[in-house]
Amino acid sequence: MIYRYVITFLLFAASILPARAQRDSVPLNTIIEKTNKLSADRPLEKIYLHFDKPYYAIDDTVWFKAYLIDNFRQPSQLSKIIYVEITNSRDSIVDNLKLPVRNGMAYGHIALNELNYRQDNYHIRAYTKWMTNFGPEYFFTKTLPVGNAIDKQINSHVTYSKTGSGKNEKISLRVVYKDLDGNPQANKRVTWEVMSSLDDVAKGKGNTDASGAMNISFTNSKGTDLTGASVVAFIDLGGKKSAGRTFSLKPVLGTADVQFFPEGGPLLAGVRSKVAIKALGANGLGFNFTGTLTDNAGALVANITSQHAGMGLFVITPEADKTYKADLTFADGSKGTYNLPKAQATGFNINVNNNEADNIGLKLAATSAYFEANKGKSYYIVAQSVGTVCFAAQTVLKDQIYSATIPKNKFPTGIVQFTLFSSGGVPLSERIVFVQRNDQLTMSMVSDKPSYTARQKVKLSISAKNKTAPVEGNFSVSVIDETKVPVNDDDEITIMSSLLLTSDLKGFIEKPNYYFAKLNDKTAADLDLLMMTQGYRRFNYTDLIAGRYPTISFLPEQGIEIAGTLRTNTGMPFKGGNVRLLIPDKYFSANAVSDPEGRFKFTNLVFPDSAKVVATAKNNYNSKNLMLMLDGMTYPAIVKNQLYPDEVTNIDSTLRPYLLNNKKQFNSMHVLKEVIVRANKPSMTVSHADYPALTGLSNIPDHLLAANRFSACANMFLCLQSGIPGVTFDMSTNSFYVMRDYNAGKRVPMQVFVTGMPVDANYLNSVMPADVESVEVFLKDDLGLVSSSYQANGILVINSKKKPVGTKISLAELQDLLPQPSVVNFTPKGYNFTREFYSPKYDVPKPVGMDLRSTIYWNPRVVTDKTGATSLEFYNADGKGSYRAVIEGLDKDGNLGRLIYRYKVQ
C-alpha cells in the first residue's frame, strides 16, 4: 500500500550543532516544508495508456484504456478530462480525443481510416489540462507504428550509413525492393531525390540489382541543414505503374555521442568515484563498446566495456595534476577518443550503494581541500520520493568520509532523489536511485483448459492479491494471437515502466520494460546504471528554496466548461445578464447569470464531439445592444518529437507477419463478384464551372473527390494533406504541390479555391467537412488562364454545398437570420465516447467464413471483487499457435499489477 512516509532523521555525527551556530543557515525544516508544500499545492498527475497491441495497420482500430493517478499512485481526483493527441512523424496533429475520466479511468479508441492515416510512425501523447502547467515532458508519450497492407504493390527495406562530416558528409542508403510474396524486384528503374525544405541537395537514378537492391548515395557539399529531410524514391514496376517510397534521414542524421557521468556530480581529486559512461549511435540508441581509460602519461587506469544499451561503468581515483581519456571501439568497428571531465580540486559528493535487497548504503566524500576549509560545518541530506520527503538528516563535517545505512522500507517503490545540501540550503550533490520493494500486486491468470482449438470458448480465471490479501482492483485485459503479432517484451511500455520509471526521468529511455520484465541482479545493476545517466525531472531544489514554484495557468478540469463575457455594444461588462446555452441534439438547455465583470460559466457539460451548441443572450431587455463573447480553447504547443529512436525504420519488414495477416483479413472482407453497372453519369450539384474565376479550367477535373470521402474528417485541412491523389503537402511552406512536379524539383504551389474564392491553405481549417460538396483536383491548367493569374501550378477547388432555395421572407425575418452579436452558434470540442470491442460468439455447429483477428479479446473494464477474483469468457479465432493475454491495472490503494499469460491453440 502506498502511504505518506514519515520523515526520519538520522544523525551521522555525534551531535547536532546548537541553534546559535545556525544564524546564517537555512534550517533543515525549511527545506522539508517547502518540498512538501510543493507536493501539496502543486500535486502531479501521471497518465498511462494500455493498448491492445504494440502496432497496427491502416483500417485497424486502436483500443486503449487510460489510467490517471496522483502523487501517491492512487486514482486521481483532480482532473476529470484526458486529452489524447495523435501526430505523424512530421509532428503534425492527425487526430485528437477528449475523454471523460471516472475514478481515474478513461476508455478510448482510434479508427485508422485510409483518409487520415498512411504508413508511418505515429506518436501518442496524453495529458490533462492540469499537467500542462508543468510542461510537455510530463505527458505520456508513445510511438505507434502503423503499416499499410491495402492496395500495396511493393515492400522496401532500407539501411543507412554515413561517413565524413560538414561539407564532406556522405550519406548512403541501400534500398531492397521485393513484391508482397518476397520476390526481389530485379532490374527495375529507380529515380530518387533528396527532399529538403531549404535547398535542392541531390537527385539521381539507377537500376536495382539481382537481389532487388538499389544503392543511393550523395554528398552534402553545400552543408545544407538536413533536419527533416528525406529521400523520395520511385521504382518503375512496368505497365505504366510505379511505387513511391519516402525514407526519412533521421536514423542517420544524428551524431554519435559519448558522455561521462561521475556519481554525485563532478569528479573530485583524490576521491574514489564511480563514473558511468553512455554511448549513443546516430539513431539515438545505445551503442555498445569496449575500450581503455589512460592518463596523460599513457598509463592504463581501467578497462571499459558497455554493460547494457551503450552504458558502462568504471571506478577511478583521479589525481589533481592528471588528465584522462577513453579510447573506445564501438560495435560497428568505428573508434573514438574522448576526454574525461577534469577533476575538481575541492568538492563534496554523495555516493550510493544500491546492491543490497533491504538497505541503501550512503557515503559522503569530500576532497582534502574542501574538508580543511569546511571542517565543523553542518550539512543536510534529504531524500524524497513521490513528491514527499521520506528521509532527512543533519551532520557535522568531522571526517572526509561518512558512511551510513538506510533501510529501503522508508521509501516506496520507485525513484528516490538523494540531495546533499550545505547549511545555507545550497544543493551540492545529487544522486537518484531506484528502490524496488517487490510490493506490486500478485496477479494470477488460469485458463480452464491446457490447450484449445480454433474458435473454441476460453475461460480465464483472474486473481489479484496484495501479498496474501485479496484486493479489489480495476484492470484491462488484452488477448492477441502472438503468431500474427510478435512482441518483444523488453520494447513495451507497461504500467510499471511508465508510472514508476519513465514518467520521472528526463530524456529517452531505451527498452524501458527490460528493467521490469525479469527482476534479477543483472537488470537491477543495469537499472542503477540508468539512474546515473538520466536526470530527474520533478523539481529543482535551487528554485524551490528560493520560492520559485511552477506557474499555475490552468486549474484541474472537473468537466466540460463553456465560459465567456457578456458586454454591451460599447464594450462595457453587462451585470446580471441572462445567458442561455442550448444543445439541440441532446435536448439540453441551461441558464447562467453574468457577474459584475460580465463573466458567465456553464460547468459539468456532457455532449459528444461535433455537437452543435448555441449560446444566446436574446432573452435580455434590449438584447440587440449586447455582445456575447466566448472563451477560446487552448492546447499545448506541439513540440518536436523526442521518441524518434523508438520509430520503426522498416515497417514493411518489421511488421511483415502482421501486415500479411491484415492483407488476408482485408481481402476476405472484400471478395465480390464483378458487377457491371451502366447508368448515366450524374451531374454535379456544384462544380468549378459555377464560379466565373474558374471557367477557364477544363470541364473534367483530373480527380474528383465526393463528399462521402470526408465523412470521417474532423478537420478539412488535415484530411487534405494526405488524401488527395497526385498531390503532396509541404509543411515547411504550408502549401500543396503537384506531386510529379514537386519530385522533379518544380516547387510552385497549387492555388486553393473555396466556393470560387482564392484562399491560402490555412483557410481550410475553418471549412467544415459536413459543408463540403466535392473537391476537384486540376493537376494542370491546359489554357493557363487561372494558373497564370495566381502564379500557381495546379488548382485545388473545394466546392461547398448549395444552400436550399427558399421562399421570400420579410425584412424582419431576414434580420432574424442575420448574425447577431448576442447569439453564438459554435461546435466546441466534446467528448469522444468509445464503442464496445466486438467479440464474436461461436456457438453454432458449423460457422462459415474466416476469422483472422489479431486482437482476440479486449476488455478495459475488468474489476475484481472483495475476494480478489473475476473471470472472462471469449472465443478464439482461426489462428493457431500461442495466444498472449496481458492484464494491467491497480487496486484502490494505488498498488500496480501486471501479468502475461500464454495458452496454445492447436
Side-chain angles (χ1 to χ4, degrees):
M1 175 178 177
I2 301 296
Y3 54 89
R4 288 169 173 79
Y5 289 82
V6 178
I7 300 169
T8 302
F9 291 86
L10 176 66
L11 187 61
F12 286 118
S15 63
I16 301 177
L17 285 181
R20 63 178 178 272
Q22 305 297 315
R23 287 191 295 268
D24 297 326
S25 68
V26 174
L28 178 57
N29 281 340
T30 299
I31 299 175
I32 296 169
E33 289 168 2
K34 289 192 173 185
T35 303
N36 292 340
K37 177 178 171 57
L38 175 67
S39 179
D41 292 351
R42 290 164 172 76
L44 287 185
E45 288 183 316
K46 294 182 180 181
I47 293 178
Y48 167 69
L49 267 55
H50 177 197
F51 292 86
D52 64 307
K53 53 194 171 193
Y55 45 81
Y56 298 86
I58 301 300
D59 267 0
D60 274 349
T61 297
V62 178
W63 301 94
F64 66 88
K65 177 179 180 179
Y67 294 88
L68 178 65
I69 66 170
D70 62 17
N71 277 0
F72 301 98
R73 302 184 196 130
Q74 297 185 17
S76 176
Q77 302 303 314
L78 284 175
S79 299
K80 298 296 186 284
I81 297 177
I82 284 176
Y83 298 88
V84 179
E85 294 173 348
I86 305 96
T87 58
N88 58 25
S89 59
R90 296 173 296 170
D91 299 324
S92 295
I93 291 183
V94 180
D95 203 355
N96 60 87
L97 308 177
K98 188 175 189 176
L99 304 175
V101 177
R102 299 290 182 270
N103 297 320
M105 315 290 169
Y107 316 95
H109 72 278
I110 304 166
L112 302 176
N113 58 72
E114 295 179 67
L115 183 61
N116 293 339
Y117 293 87
R118 63 179 183 179
Q119 181 163 302
D120 198 0
N121 286 281
Y122 291 89
H123 303 286
I124 305 289
R125 74 172 186 174
Y127 58 91
T128 66
K129 269 297 181 64
W130 176 251
M131 293 171 67
T132 62
N133 292 306
F134 310 104
E137 61 269 19
Y138 286 91
F139 299 173
F140 171 86
T141 55
K142 177 182 172 67
T143 299
L144 210 63
V146 175
N148 185 8
I150 303 171
D151 300 328
K152 181 182 282 190
Q153 298 173 300
I154 203 79
N155 285 334
S156 60
H157 183 95
V158 62
T159 53
Y160 301 86
S161 63
K162 182 177 68 172
T163 58
S165 60
K167 293 186 178 182
N168 294 319
E169 181 181 63
K170 182 178 181 180
I171 296 175
S172 300
L173 292 76
R174 179 176 174 83
V175 185
V176 179
Y177 292 97
K178 294 183 179 181
D179 64 19
L180 301 187
D181 295 322
N183 301 312
Q185 295 295 288
N187 199 30
K188 299 290 185 181
R189 191 72 168 171
V190 176
T191 58
W192 59 269
E193 181 179 1
V194 180
M195 309 297 291
S196 170
S197 60
L198 299 178
D199 203 351
D200 292 331
V201 181
K203 62 177 66 177
K205 55 188 175 182
N207 289 346
T208 59
D209 60 20
S211 64
M214 168 73 180
N215 293 317
I216 297 172
S217 64
F218 63 94
T219 300
N220 187 14
S221 57
K222 298 179 181 179
T224 303
D225 181 5
L226 296 179
T227 302
S230 58
V231 173
V232 178
F234 285 85
I235 180 171
D236 186 353
L237 301 176
K240 296 184 178 180
K241 293 182 178 180
S242 64
R245 289 288 183 272
T246 299
F247 305 105
S248 171
L249 293 179
K250 280 192 290 188
V252 75
L253 287 179
T255 303
D257 184 40
V258 174
Q259 296 183 64
F260 298 94
F261 300 90
E263 185 177 19
L267 278 176
L268 301 180
V271 176
R272 181 178 171 84
S273 302
K274 290 181 288 186
V275 179
I277 178 173
K278 186 169 187 177
L280 297 177
N283 59 2
L285 298 175
F287 210 20
N288 287 330
F289 58 85
T290 58
T292 59
L293 182 71
T294 56
D295 62 18
N296 53 330
L300 177 66
V301 177
N303 290 307
I304 310 172
T305 184
S306 55
Q307 179 176 312
H308 171 70
M311 296 181 294
L313 183 72
F314 60 88
V315 178
I316 183 175
T317 305
E319 298 180 38
D321 57 347
K322 288 188 176 182
T323 58
Y324 302 87
K325 66 178 182 179
D327 295 298
L328 303 180
T329 300
F330 299 100
D332 64 352
S334 60
K335 298 182 179 182
T337 299
Y338 305 90
N339 295 321
L340 255 68
K342 186 172 177 58
Q344 293 185 5
T346 181
F348 196 12
N349 268 4
I350 183 171
N351 302 134
V352 172
N353 183 347
N354 195 26
N355 295 333
E356 296 184 18
D358 300 322
N359 298 300
I360 295 174
L362 199 65
K363 184 178 75 171
L364 304 181
T367 64
S368 57
Y370 189 91
F371 174 71
E372 293 300 329
N374 296 278
K375 188 187 304 183
K377 292 183 179 179
S378 65
Y379 293 86
Y380 310 138
I381 183 76
V382 175
Q384 70 85 24
S385 182
V386 295
T388 300
V389 174
C390 304
F391 170 88
Q394 180 174 324
T395 186
V396 175
L397 186 58
K398 291 187 176 182
D399 296 293
Q400 275 189 254
I401 297 177
Y402 291 142
S403 297
T405 300
I406 305 172
K408 288 186 177 180
N409 61 16
K410 297 185 181 300
F411 309 102
T413 292
I415 294 177
V416 180
Q417 178 190 34
F418 285 88
T419 307
L420 175 66
F421 292 90
S422 71
S423 60
V426 177
L428 302 177
S429 178
E430 182 178 289
R431 170 75 146 91
I432 60 172
V433 300
F434 191 92
V435 172
Q436 178 59 267
R437 295 277 304 281
N438 296 317
D439 55 359
Q440 287 78 37
L441 296 178
T442 302
M443 307 290 300
S444 70
M445 186 182 291
V446 180
S447 56
D448 60 332
K449 292 181 174 60
S451 63
Y452 298 86
T453 58
R455 303 198 183 190
Q456 189 175 5
K457 186 177 182 179
V458 177
K459 181 176 181 179
L460 295 179
S461 298
I462 296 169
S463 172
K465 295 181 180 180
N466 183 356
K467 295 184 173 61
T468 59
V471 295
E472 297 178 66
N474 198 314
F475 304 92
S476 45
V477 172
S478 170
V479 181
I480 61 174
D481 181 345
E482 206 166 17
T483 59
K484 296 181 176 65
V485 193
V487 179
N488 184 333
D489 290 348
D490 291 348
D491 288 341
E492 290 192 289
I493 296 176
T494 69
I495 196 168
M496 304 292 188
S497 68
S498 177
L499 298 182
L500 297 179
L501 184 69
T502 57
S503 59
D504 284 327
L505 294 179
K506 293 180 180 178
F508 170 74
I509 310 298
E510 183 178 347
K511 298 184 182 299
N513 196 46
Y514 162 80
Y515 304 102
F516 298 90
K518 295 178 181 178
L519 297 179
N520 52 45
D521 291 343
K522 173 69 167 64
T523 55
D526 294 341
L527 180 53
D528 193 56
L529 188 54
L530 179 72
M531 295 296 100
M532 293 182 64
T533 62
Q534 302 290 148
Y536 184 66
R537 67 160 60 121
R538 177 63 177 98
F539 56 78
N540 181 300
Y541 267 118
T542 302
D543 291 339
L544 183 68
I545 294 171
R548 293 190 292 267
Y549 294 102
T551 301
I552 299 301
S553 301
F554 302 98
L555 295 176
E557 290 182 297
Q558 295 301 298
I560 296 179
E561 181 179 286
I562 294 176
T565 305
L566 184 62
R567 299 180 183 274
T568 66
N569 55 11
T570 62
M572 297 297 294
F574 188 76
K575 177 185 176 182
N578 188 281
V579 181
R580 191 178 184 194
L581 189 77
L582 303 170
I583 307 177
D585 292 344
K586 299 287 290 183
Y587 302 101
F588 173 87
S589 66
N591 291 290
V593 178
S594 59
D595 64 17
E597 295 181 350
R599 297 290 298 166
F600 62 87
K601 183 188 300 184
F602 298 93
T603 60
N604 296 324
L605 301 174
V606 178
F607 54 85
D609 194 30
S610 301
K612 293 183 178 180
V613 179
V614 180
T616 175
K618 290 187 67 175
N619 55 345
N620 290 283
Y621 174 75
N622 201 18
S623 62
K624 292 182 179 180
N625 294 323
L626 296 179
M627 297 186 299
L628 196 61
M629 293 172 288
L630 298 180
D631 296 344
M633 181 68 179
T634 58
Y635 294 93
I638 298 298
V639 297
K640 185 175 178 59
N641 170 55
Q642 301 298 317
L643 299 181
Y644 74 90
D646 255 354
E647 294 183 351
V648 177
T649 301
N650 292 295
I651 290 179
D652 287 339
S653 54
T654 305
L655 274 59
R656 179 172 170 77
Y658 181 74
L659 295 177
L660 286 176
N661 178 74
N662 193 264
K663 179 72 172 177
K664 292 177 184 178
Q665 191 175 19
F666 181 82
N667 290 338
S668 70
M669 297 167 58
H670 295 77
V671 179
L672 301 174
K673 293 183 179 179
E674 181 180 6
V675 177
I676 299 176
V677 179
R678 294 183 176 89
N680 294 327
K681 181 180 179 181
S683 59
M684 289 187 292
T685 305
V686 183
S687 76
H688 68 280
D690 295 327
Y691 311 115
L694 301 176
T695 53
L697 295 174
S698 169
N699 291 329
I700 303 175
D702 293 289
H703 299 288
L704 175 64
L705 310 181
N708 58 7
R709 181 78 177 266
F710 309 102
S711 59
C713 276
N715 183 294
M716 201 67 190
F717 182 45
L718 296 176
C719 287
L720 291 179
Q721 288 184 24
S722 58
I724 309 178
V727 175
T728 187
F729 182 78
D730 190 331
M731 291 186 61
S732 63
T733 60
N734 212 36
S735 300
F736 294 93
Y737 295 86
V738 176
M739 184 179 294
R740 62 168 181 264
D741 295 335
Y742 184 87
N743 293 336
K746 185 178 181 181
R747 306 295 170 82
V748 179
M750 302 176 73
Q751 178 60 52
V752 181
F753 287 85
V754 176
T755 60
M757 176 180 66
V759 299
D760 61 18
N762 284 326
Y763 182 85
L764 297 175
N765 280 303
S766 64
V767 177
M768 296 295 294
D771 296 334
V772 173
E773 172 72 21
S774 63
V775 174
E776 297 177 80
V777 184
F778 296 88
L779 301 179
K780 57 184 180 301
D781 180 5
D782 293 326
L783 298 178
L785 299 178
V786 180
S787 295
S788 59
S789 298
Y790 296 94
Q791 289 81 48
N793 179 40
I795 307 297
L796 191 60
V797 181
I798 288 83
N799 297 309
S800 298
K801 294 177 180 177
K802 279 187 176 180
K803 303 297 181 183
V805 178
T807 58
K808 292 183 178 181
I809 61 175
S810 66
L811 177 60
E813 291 173 322
L814 176 61
Q815 289 175 339
D816 287 339
L817 294 175
L818 294 174
Q820 299 179 43
S822 60
V823 180
V824 179
N825 293 277
F826 62 113
T827 307
K829 179 67 178 174
Y831 287 132
N832 297 87
F833 296 104
T834 189
R835 64 175 187 263
E836 292 296 320
F837 177 82
Y838 171 68
S839 184
K841 295 183 178 180
Y842 294 120
D843 48 9
V844 294
K846 294 182 179 180
V848 296
M850 297 180 65
D851 187 346
L852 300 173
R853 287 174 296 143
S854 54
T855 297
I856 309 302
Y857 182 72
W858 167 253
N859 189 342
R861 296 178 174 87
V862 178
V863 178
T864 55
D865 57 22
K866 292 181 179 179
T867 67
T870 190
S871 62
L872 309 171
E873 293 183 352
F874 55 90
Y875 290 81
N876 294 321
D878 288 338
K880 297 180 180 180
S882 174
Y883 280 32
R884 180 180 188 258
V886 177
I887 182 170
E888 291 187 321
L890 45 79
D891 67 8
K892 62 181 180 180
D893 293 322
N895 298 302
L896 307 179
R898 184 175 193 267
L899 177 71
I900 298 175
Y901 178 79
R902 290 178 170 89
Y903 65 88
K904 292 290 185 181
V905 176
Q906 300 174 340

